[in-house]
Amino acid sequence: MRISTFKAVFLGFLLTLPIAGFAIDKDNTESDKKFDPNEMIMHHVKDAHEFHIIDIDDKPISLPLPIILWTDNGLTTFMSSEFHHDDEGKVIVEKNGGSFVKLHEKIYQLNNRATAVAFDDKHHPTNASKPLDISITRNVFMMWISVLVLLLIFISAARVYKKSENKVPTGIAGFVEPLIVFVRDEIAKPMIGEHKYKKYMPYLLTIFFFIWINNIFGLIPILNGANLSGNIAFTMTLAVFTFIITTFSGNKNYWKHIFWMPGVPVPMKIFLMPIELIGIFTKPISLMIRLFANITAGHIIILALMSLIFIFETVWVSPISVAFSLFITVIEIVVTAIQAYIFTILSALYFGMATEEEHH
């Protein structure tokens, strides 16, 4: 019991590290500015050009990432540490004949002869423009890490099978085989069919493990875990892949049910055709929004609960905030797998609908 309690308290402490660091930095540098939970939450949920770990003695400690920009002067690169943790456009970095500032995690290039950022009434910069930003952000970095982890897992599992004479899985292979069999027997075969599921298995396994492992990385608090599945561009890309595969897999029966529904009167065919046509695009859109919204909501809830400590400005709220945060974190661990499962099974369902043969 003592060990369990210690682990719970320690995990709660880890959860508060990034938030406490952010609050200290803002409160000490801008003492007249009250704690803004919305600003803090959005700061941690959205993508960033560095990993902000913690503040010690009012000094932020972070892991910088490369800034890669394409400007009028060509390719410009430097490390995000040159902004000195500034995100309000105050620090100007001079590189390759250009002046750059970071404002709300967006990189701007100042116009010629500008020495500071000028803002309009809505706090939009008026004397700066956005160059093409292809930087390695926090999400991109963690996506690469997840790819390396997946390659390591499956290459190691493949070597186990290659060395085993009786093909009995051991070690890491014993962990991944039940998951692969689950995707095959509980997702691919029922949704696509016994005779057509095999060619879709590589994609279904990829998105299942890719989404799952990135969701897990998003729960790691000590490095402000990258919220990759909470990035609409990430979920949109996966949904587009599902859309493309579904579209090119569609057989004659699939397209006939969309453009000229069999077995219904002609006026009803004309009425249903635009609805079915719209449905082609709403399916991947629902995939995109569902994954994005569910993962982002979990992060926001945890951060909102931890914000109560700073909103009420008393440590007496911390036991409640930490307890509920731990509870939501446990739920989030389950949700990481559920969301990967839902995205995979819906993709398989769309493939099955596209390849279903006409019944006689």
Side-chain angles (χ1 to χ4, degrees), residues 277-315:
L277 191 61
I278 294 173
I280 295 176
F281 301 98
T282 56
K283 290 183 179 70
I285 291 174
S286 67
L287 276 179
M288 172 185 71
I289 296 176
R290 181 183 288 106
L291 179 59
F292 163 75
N294 280 282
I295 297 301
T296 303
H299 289 288
I300 291 176
I301 291 173
I302 293 174
L303 292 169
L305 288 170
M306 299 308 301
S307 297
L308 295 176
I309 301 173
F310 305 103
I311 293 173
F312 290 101
E313 298 180 349
T314 174
V315 295

Side-chain angles (χ1 to χ4, degrees), residues 34-283:
K34 291 185 178 180
F35 173 72
D36 186 353
N38 180 64
E39 181 183 356
M40 184 278 295
I41 291 172
M42 296 310 299
H43 173 81
H44 286 81
V45 169
K46 66 182 181 181
D47 200 5
H49 288 85
E50 62 186 6
F51 284 94
H52 177 224
I53 301 174
I54 192 176
D55 289 354
I56 298 179
D57 295 331
D58 302 339
K59 295 180 179 180
I61 296 177
S62 63
L63 176 66
L65 295 171
I67 303 291
I68 306 174
L69 306 170
W70 184 263
T71 67
D72 295 336
N73 298 328
L75 189 66
T76 303
T77 61
F78 55 93
M79 297 300 292
S80 62
S81 56
E82 298 203 29
F83 286 116
H84 301 289
H85 306 96
D86 175 64
D87 194 38
E88 298 179 356
K90 296 179 180 179
V91 176
I92 300 176
V93 177
E94 303 283 348
K95 290 290 180 180
N96 196 24
S99 301
F100 304 94
V101 297
K102 185 157 69 79
L103 182 64
H104 306 310
E105 291 301 339
K106 302 293 183 183
I107 307 298
Y108 289 88
Q109 182 176 4
L110 296 177
N111 298 340
N112 293 335
R113 299 179 181 178
T115 57
V117 184
F119 299 96
D120 58 16
D121 295 338
K122 297 182 179 180
H123 202 67
H124 296 154
T126 58
N127 62 340
S129 59
K130 293 181 183 178
L132 178 61
D133 190 352
I134 51 176
S135 304
I136 301 175
T137 61
R138 186 169 62 187
N139 284 345
V140 174
F141 180 82
M142 291 307 299
M143 183 168 59
W144 288 357
I145 295 297
S146 66
V147 170
L148 292 176
V149 170
L150 288 175
L151 288 175
L152 178 63
I153 291 174
F154 285 99
I155 290 175
S156 301
R159 287 178 178 174
V160 171
Y161 281 107
K162 187 176 181 179
K163 295 179 180 179
S164 176
E165 295 181 357
N166 52 10
K167 303 301 180 183
V168 176
T170 57
I172 191 66
F175 171 75
V176 298
E177 183 182 280
L179 296 172
I180 294 173
V181 172
F182 172 78
V183 174
R184 183 193 67 187
D185 295 345
E186 302 298 330
I187 297 178
K189 285 184 178 180
M191 296 298 159
I192 303 175
E194 291 279 349
H195 305 291
K196 298 181 179 180
Y197 79 91
K198 288 185 178 180
K199 67 178 182 180
Y200 298 102
M201 277 296 293
Y203 176 74
L204 295 177
L205 288 172
T206 300
I207 59 173
F208 177 79
F209 285 100
F210 191 53
I211 293 173
W212 189 17
I213 197 168
N214 278 294
N215 287 347
I216 292 173
F217 282 159
L219 294 179
I220 299 176
I222 192 64
L223 286 178
N224 276 359
N227 185 27
L228 192 59
S229 296
N231 187 304
I232 194 71
F234 174 78
T235 60
M236 181 185 69
T237 302
L238 296 181
V240 167
F241 280 126
T242 296
F243 170 75
I244 292 173
I245 296 174
T246 303
T247 302
F248 282 95
S249 299
N251 57 20
K252 180 180 178 181
N253 182 58
Y254 173 72
W255 293 111
K256 184 168 67 174
H257 275 75
I258 290 176
F259 290 102
W260 204 248
M261 183 77 67
V264 297
V266 174
M268 188 59 67
K269 293 176 186 284
I270 299 173
F271 176 76
L272 291 175
M273 182 178 65
I275 298 177
E276 292 293 331
L277 191 61
I278 294 173
I280 295 176
F281 301 98
T282 56
K283 290 183 179 70

